[in-house]
Amino acid sequence: AVACETVFHGLIELVDLLIERAGRKVPENHDQRREALEDIGRIDLANLHTEAFQALHISGYYSQRTGRFQQDVLRRVTEAVEREVAKPA
């Protein structure tokens, strides 16, 4: 459960940085975060954020579930963060 929440918050840190670099105000909540990602053309991360919110934050952390769904989303979020971090700023 802690791993799910930690990875989810890593994604939040990443997308907030990308949103801020795009010249937008850092979102105050998850809905605003998704909308901002869509506005800056990052539908891929908007969709991943929504899925990670459900799989990792709600089901993984709060419901303490670590099934196939959580494991798959953990892997995909980790891969996405690593790809974004490897890009030049």
Side-chain angles (χ1 to χ4, degrees):
V2 172
C4 287
E5 191 69 355
T6 301
V7 170
F8 177 67
H9 278 282
L11 178 62
I12 296 303
E13 293 293 323
L14 170 71
V15 299
D16 283 355
L17 177 65
L18 294 174
I19 290 166
E20 191 172 36
R21 281 186 183 167
R24 298 183 56 105
K25 181 181 170 191
V26 175
E28 296 178 14
N29 59 51
H30 296 297
D31 290 340
Q32 289 177 357
R33 191 167 284 111
R34 173 164 180 108
E35 291 168 356
L37 286 167
E38 290 174 352
D39 291 347
I40 66 170
R42 293 306 305 262
I43 302 301
D44 59 328
L45 289 178
N47 291 336
L48 183 59
H49 170 271
T50 298
E51 197 167 8
F53 179 75
Q54 178 60 49
L56 304 180
H57 185 62
I58 302 298
S59 296
Y61 183 69
Y62 286 110
S63 297
Q64 302 284 299
R65 185 165 190 323
T66 54
R68 186 176 63 237
F69 182 44
Q70 286 73 31
Q71 291 172 13
D72 178 56
V73 175
L74 278 169
R75 178 188 52 77
R76 290 190 293 118
V77 168
T78 301
E79 289 170 355
V81 169
E82 288 173 351
R83 268 193 315 274
E84 290 298 323
V85 170
K87 290 181 180 179

